Amino acid sequence: MPYFDAASAAPLHPVARQALLAALDDGWADPSRLYREGRKARMLLDAAREAAAEAVGCRADELTFTPSGTRAVHTGMAGALAGRRRTGRHLIVSAVEHSSVLHSAEVFEAEGGEVTQVPVRRTGAVDVESYAAALRADTALACLQSANHEVGTVQPVTAVAEACRAAGVPLLVDAAQSLGWGRVEGDWSLLTASAHKWGGPSGVGLLVVRKGVRFAVQGASDERESGRSAGFENLPAIVAAAASLRAVRAEAGQEAVRLRELTARIRARVPELVPDVEVVGDADRRLPGVVTFSCLYVDGETLLHELDREGFAVSSGSSCTSSTLTPSHVLKAMGVLSEGNVRVSLPTGAAEGDVARFLEVLPGVVAGVREKLGAPVPVAAVHEDVLVVDALGKRCPIPVIELAKVIGTVPVGGRVRVLSDDEAARLDIPAWCEMRGQEYEGEEKAERGTAYLVRRIS
């Protein structure tokens, strides 16, 4: 089965498997003990730290192993914010950060801190000038991902780091998606990553805190990992994580070229093969193996299930998935279409033939889902020269489908008022208007739900 969800978790690298099995035999003892087995375990831990630090581009004593990338983010943000408490209680994040960053920001805000979310362009990248303008004298910490986890857009970390350095503000970079491809450039202060994103085992994260950064560990701690990650180290997994990071880096240059060619093919062919599709994310500044697109008039959860039936494992940032009934915060911040969203993230070694078969299968799957959806005949009435579409109680993409079916019945310059109580409509109707060349006039409160106003332009 072709696995196209490497951005969620990459398959275990063969080197990681070998290192893990070897470390299970040699790395089971407590590395803090002075007897032979303890010394052997300490040597393995030190070697893994040196290898990981070399890959990151930091000193070994700046790197801490944590139980996960999420824990690395939470520990890093909490420690940096506490360490600079005297400076102020202001935090900056981008609007498209991973949920681990945003959840930490919510906790900080609930405790009395102030959080500024920097918006992004339609490509998903922050504007450097806007980010720099958000910096203040009381800013304690700034956060920016190296690359986006849903659409693959690479962020301008180097330029933002320069602005932060000039303002005397530490920058924490979430490098979970990009570290397997190369070092994060720029003068950043803290960095986090997760081993399962590059083909290492799950349960290992990295937290790097540069020398000179004020940092105060929060919560209970012990003598392990410089006091920044309490508890017995999962040494076999750590060894496997470091070994696999070195291995994927050795392959990264050649593999990146190959995966970029495959994703470029998907980006070009999908709009040709499937009508009413929006490919999202930056076309050039992007991760090698990630491509994301959204299909109009398609239920995202159904689309993913049908692709699974065809043997393809993909993921989605759509509003219509089993995990959430609200639009992806990333797609929402970008202002792009959320319905029928598909993220293809190719793992190292992805076969060209599998990509070709995916492009063969996709048009029929989308057409089948659209047919199965069986959009109901819209309930429409003319009221004060405005065509009213009642889509209350119907989940997206039904409100958009009903809008599309009636827009041609109003004269050019006429208006359609779509009533919907699905949060996803707030994102999908404006995105549909942009795709279709119609004018979105905004929203207003209705007796039930929200009314979205659209003017026909063509």
Side-chain angles (χ1 to χ4, degrees), residues 5-340:
D5 194 22
S8 293
L12 192 67
H13 195 281
V15 169
R17 185 181 300 277
Q18 295 169 6
L20 181 64
L21 293 175
L24 286 172
D25 291 331
D26 296 331
W28 52 267
D30 187 343
S32 67
R33 300 309 178 200
L34 299 180
Y35 43 74
R36 179 184 300 174
E37 295 300 336
R39 295 197 306 272
K40 186 186 296 185
R42 169 56 62 180
M43 290 176 63
L44 287 173
L45 180 59
D46 289 345
R49 197 184 312 277
E50 290 282 353
E54 191 279 331
V56 171
C58 66
R59 294 170 40 152
D61 59 355
E62 294 175 329
L63 188 146
T64 297
F65 291 111
T66 66
S68 68
T70 294
R71 175 52 57 191
V73 167
H74 292 172
T75 301
M77 291 181 66
L81 289 166
R84 284 175 49 82
R85 191 180 185 95
R86 291 184 179 180
T87 299
R89 299 279 287 161
H90 179 232
L91 168 67
I92 301 175
V93 300
S94 84
V96 293
E97 294 298 314
H98 188 268
S99 59
S100 60
V101 173
L102 298 182
H103 291 161
S104 285
E106 290 171 0
V107 171
F108 177 68
E109 195 168 31
E111 294 174 346
E114 183 180 354
V115 179
T116 296
Q117 277 199 11
V118 179
V120 296
R121 300 190 183 100
R122 195 170 176 84
T123 61
V126 299
D127 178 74
V128 177
E129 288 72 22
S130 297
Y131 204 105
L135 294 165
R136 304 185 331 205
D138 64 339
T139 302
L141 179 67
C143 300
L144 181 65
Q145 58 191 193
S146 57
N148 186 259
H149 50 292
E150 287 192 22
V151 300
T153 297
V154 173
Q155 299 288 358
V157 172
T158 299
V160 169
E162 289 178 0
C164 290
R165 181 67 63 178
V169 175
L171 175 67
L172 183 149
V173 177
D174 171 15
Q177 291 295 335
S178 72
L179 193 60
W181 296 108
R183 292 181 177 180
V184 177
E185 302 298 329
D187 198 8
W188 46 266
S189 301
L190 302 97
L191 180 141
T192 62
S194 187
H196 74 279
K197 299 291 188 179
W198 66 67
S202 58
V204 180
L206 303 183
L207 169 62
V208 179
V209 182
R210 295 283 200 191
K211 293 296 181 182
V213 175
R214 290 185 177 276
F215 193 91
V217 177
Q218 300 300 288
S221 63
D222 57 24
E223 72 281 0
R224 299 180 188 274
E225 294 300 308
S226 302
R228 291 174 180 164
S229 183
F232 199 98
E233 296 94 343
N234 185 351
L235 186 52
I238 287 172
V239 170
S244 59
L245 180 56
R246 177 178 287 180
V248 298
R249 281 290 189 81
E251 307 162 352
Q254 182 175 356
E255 187 65 8
V257 172
R258 196 180 72 85
L259 292 186
R260 286 189 189 280
E261 291 176 352
L262 293 178
T263 52
R265 186 181 308 173
I266 296 173
R267 287 182 64 87
R269 292 291 290 152
V270 167
E272 296 173 353
L273 296 170
V274 182
D276 298 317
V277 164
E278 180 180 17
V279 181
V280 301
D282 196 294
D284 301 312
R285 289 182 52 82
R286 61 186 302 101
L287 292 171
V290 179
V291 56
T292 306
F293 55 90
S294 299
C295 306
L296 271 172
Y297 320 133
V298 170
D299 176 84
E301 185 175 1
T302 304
L303 180 58
L304 264 59
H305 284 318
E306 292 302 317
L307 286 170
D308 179 55
R309 288 175 181 271
E310 295 291 338
F312 292 96
V314 299
S315 63
S316 173
S318 172
S319 57
C320 301
T321 61
S322 57
S323 61
T324 177
L325 295 179
T326 59
S328 151
H329 72 277
V330 172
L331 300 178
K332 187 174 183 179
M334 293 169 62
V336 297
L337 189 69
S338 73
E339 64 186 56

Side-chain angles (χ1 to χ4, degrees), residues 344-355:
V344 174
S345 49
L346 305 177
T348 298
E352 182 178 356
D354 288 339
V355 171

